[in-house]
């Protein structure tokens, strides 16, 4: 796959040297795990090495906010400096999984660039779709069909079809969940280059893709989510004030829904999984408490293979170690729930019998803590 000449750097002076190497006119691009960087000021054209140095200084260290980062943005630690090319047109191509068809699908559009999401939302017919057999890859006639739909011809059509074939092969060979080129650049002389690209990978397949796992950049991930991964916890930070600790993804989603119905906002999704031991529960509680926005905690455990008394011991251990006093409401039912109830009452935890009651108590506690 052809790409513009350039390199990644963390240094503004090196950005100037790279710009000179690629011809003296270049583009400086913020390197973060989010799209829409140009809209947030993370992509800048430089007409000289000196200007590249200045643009890199402006971008490096900035808290870049894009439609995909959320309002908090993401800090820029690296920039890509690449040659500026004469652009005739920008296309969009990607490979992802179509769950309805249960197979990969190639998507392509003549409307590439930063606004592809708006194109898909307002004019779905502008997106070409071609299902792919995962055992055969993209067949030649399928590649020709896509480039014809993009109204490409001659040398450009041949190069684009070859790029699509390689993109599908890369997607299948790495257990990817997305392989995207946006924009796919057509130059003034008809050449085809991947101006920008990204890939997402199936976390469940990384054990057999050590080369992919080695590319992981922890600096681009939420530190709390990285910490959760060390303990086998499924954690996603949200913007609310009520920390949630639940076992089971479905129950966690239902718990967050009930918190919202009770008038509160969940601060996280956290699934401790089945069979969680006391030390794992304590780690989950420390993780929730590390979020300064959390004013109350709701623990909702359905004991199947998870023992309620083990969860209770973990909660007691975590509360003994916590550095700030945050009210906690606990609901435990199922395996060893009676034993858990005894331990929690002795430790003076606030408990609830029903999930509706637990959610209402947690919301009231959060409001009281914030008052």
């Amino acid at each position: 796959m052809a790409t513009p000449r350039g390199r990644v750097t963390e240094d503004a002076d090196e950005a100037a040297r790279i710009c000179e190497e690629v011809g003296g006119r270049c583009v400086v691009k913020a390197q973060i795990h989010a799209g829409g960087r140009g809209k947030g000021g993370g992509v800048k054209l430089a007409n000289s090495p000196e200007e590249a140095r200045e643009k890199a200084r402006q971008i490096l260290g900035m808290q870049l906010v894009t439609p995909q980062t959320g309002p908090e943005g993401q800090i820029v630690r690296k920039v890509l400096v690449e040659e500026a090319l004469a652009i005739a047109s920008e296309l969009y191509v990607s490979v992802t999984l179509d769950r309805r068809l249960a197979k990969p699908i190639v998507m392509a559009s003549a409307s590439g660039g930063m606004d592809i999401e708006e194109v898909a939302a307002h004019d779905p017919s502008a997106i070409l779709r071609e299902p792919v057999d995962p055992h055969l890859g993209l067949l030649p006639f399928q590649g020709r069909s896509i480039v014809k739909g993009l109204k490409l011809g001659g040398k450009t059509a041949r190069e684009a079809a070859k790029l699509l074939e390689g993109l599908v092969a890369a997607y299948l060979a790495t257990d990817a969940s997305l392989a995207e080129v946006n924009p796919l650049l057509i130059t003034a002389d008809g050449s085809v280059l991947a101006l920008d690209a990204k890939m997402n990978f199936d976390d469940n397949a990384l054990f057999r893709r050590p080369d992919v796992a080695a590319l992981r950049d922890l600096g681009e991930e939420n530190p709390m989510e990285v910490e959760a991964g060390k303990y086998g916890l499924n954690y996603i930070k949200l913007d609310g004030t009520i920390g949630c600790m639940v076992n089971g993804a479905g129950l966690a989603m239902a718990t967050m829904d009930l918190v919202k119905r009770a008038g509160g906002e969940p601060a996280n999704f956290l699934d401790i999984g089945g069979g969680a031991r006391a030390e794992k529960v304590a780690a989950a509680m420390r993780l929730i408490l590390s979020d300064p926005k959390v004013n109350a905690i709701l623990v909702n455990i359905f004991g199947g293979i998870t023992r309620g008394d083990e969860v209770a011991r973990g909660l007691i251990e975590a509360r003994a170690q916590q550095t700030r006093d945050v009210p906690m409401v606990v609901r435990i039912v199922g395996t060893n729930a009676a034993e858990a109830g005894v331990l929690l009452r002795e430790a003076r935890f606030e408990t609830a019998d029903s999930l509706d009651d637990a959610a209402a108590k947690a919301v009231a506690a959060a409001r009281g803590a914030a008052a």
Side-chain angles (χ1 to χ4, degrees), residues 227-234 271-273 280:
E227 184 68 15
K230 296 177 182 177
Y231 296 95
L233 300 167
N234 297 307
D271 170 17
I272 64 172
K280 190 173 184 180

Side-chain angles (χ1 to χ4, degrees), residues 158-189:
R158 291 191 295 273
E159 289 188 12
K162 184 177 180 181
L163 183 143
L164 285 170
E165 182 181 348
L167 189 66
V168 172
Y171 172 92
L172 295 174
T174 57
D175 291 303
S177 56
L178 172 70
E180 177 184 85
V181 178
N182 184 34
L184 178 66
L185 175 67
I186 309 299
T187 65
D189 67 357

